[in-house]
Amino acid sequence: DAKTTQPTSMDCAEGRAANLPCNHSTISGNEYVYWYRQIHSQGPQYIIHGLKNNETNEMASLIITEDRKSSTLILPHATLRDTAVYYCIVRPYPILTGGGNKLTFGTGTQLKVEL
Amino acid sequence: NAGVTQTPKFQVLKTGQSMTLQCAQDMNHNSMYWYRQDPGMGLRLIYYSASEGTTDKGEVPNGYNVSRLNKREFSLRLESAAPSQTSVYFCASSRSDEQYFGPGTRLTVT
């Protein structure tokens, strides 16, 4: 699976958009970009994933560059409850691998949302 | 719908003791996983089970064994606990692309 690079930490004011970048310059054609987050001491929570088109759901938006070498997770109106470690993960879509939906977690970005 | 449940929530073991961490999911997922998370680090995959009846090693399998008891349950066993196995253990399950995680078991080996 391709390696990802994320900033160690970021701050965001409550109510503002939080933009979390991720570099995945070695991504291959069949690999998707997944985002998970981990609120302190809890199990990780799935946020969103995408291949090449921008994606949006009730939690966030995912913007993937045209060359697919980087992406940005956007939390449009961050709240204190969004304070968490955010993980960007690149992996093939599970149906194509036949070996289970394995995830490789890095150290992620610690997002701190402040008043 | 409880999702993924793990027992126990906390455990303290002495070096050399054995124990089994239990995990169950009620979402009818085919795949299940065991991860460990050490302080300040991301999760690392210990073992996974792509479907009932199969198990495979992940990134850090040494010192652990697993059993996929049925589609719902996936247990992790430490035969002879070592201080290096002090960690938080997370179980997860998935049907295809999205993994659902349990609340974790905090294990301390003294």
Side-chain angles (χ1 to χ4, degrees):
Chain A
D1 296 350
K3 181 178 169 56
T4 62
T5 305
Q6 299 177 252
T8 303
S9 63
M10 295 182 66
D11 294 332
C12 178
E14 190 177 33
R16 305 297 294 266
N19 298 288
L20 292 93
C22 180
N23 238 303
H24 32 79
S25 58
T26 60
I27 193 170
S28 58
N30 69 335
E31 289 182 315
Y32 284 64
V33 180
Y34 288 78
W35 283 84
Y36 281 74
R37 73 180 182 183
Q38 186 175 24
I39 296 170
H40 181 61
S41 299
Q42 299 180 20
Q45 176 190 24
Y46 166 83
I47 302 173
I48 198 167
H49 75 278
L51 180 63
K52 55 184 178 181
N53 298 320
N54 298 337
E55 302 287 346
T56 296
N57 62 20
E58 65 279 2
M59 287 183 69
S61 295
L62 174 60
I63 309 297
I64 302 174
T65 58
E66 193 168 342
D67 63 8
R68 303 209 321 122
K69 293 184 186 300
S70 65
S71 60
T72 301
L73 179 75
I74 301 172
L75 308 177
H77 305 287
T79 70
L80 297 177
R81 288 179 295 179
D82 291 320
T83 292
V85 178
Y86 287 77
Y87 298 100
C88 170
I89 299 166
V90 172
R91 68 170 308 283
Y93 194 71
I95 289 174
L96 301 176
T97 62
N101 184 9
K102 294 178 286 183
L103 294 172
T104 301
F105 288 82
T107 52
T109 296
Q110 172 67 64
L111 175 68
K112 186 176 180 183
V113 181
E114 300 171 307
L115 291 171
Chain B
N1 208 352
V4 179
T5 57
Q6 294 183 235
T7 56
K9 287 187 168 50
F10 300 93
Q11 184 71 49
V12 178
L13 290 179
K14 293 189 189 312
T15 298
Q17 287 185 319
S18 62
M19 79 160 294
T20 300
L21 281 64
Q22 307 286 355
C23 173
Q25 53 92 9
D26 61 2
M27 296 173 282
N28 201 36
H29 288 166
N30 287 326
S31 301
M32 297 186 73
Y33 314 81
W34 276 105
Y35 295 87
R36 62 176 286 175
Q37 185 173 34
D38 299 327
M41 296 183 65
L43 282 71
R44 291 183 293 170
L45 183 65
I46 305 171
Y47 269 93
Y48 68 98
S49 171
S51 61
E52 188 178 354
T54 69
T55 61
D56 283 289
K57 295 178 181 179
E59 182 185 352
V60 289
N62 290 346
Y64 305 95
N65 285 303
V66 290
S67 295
R68 184 72 182 269
L69 305 169
N70 48 56
K71 193 170 187 179
R72 288 188 64 247
E73 299 171 289
F74 189 38
S75 63
L76 178 72
R77 183 159 179 84
L78 287 70
E79 290 291 351
S80 179
S84 61
Q85 294 178 304
T86 293
S87 191
V88 181
Y89 292 84
F90 290 101
C91 176
S93 71
S94 71
R95 183 177 60 248
S96 59
D97 51 359
E98 180 180 340
Q99 284 195 21
Y100 294 82
F101 286 80
T105 294
R106 282 147 186 80
L107 175 67
T108 301
V109 183
T110 61

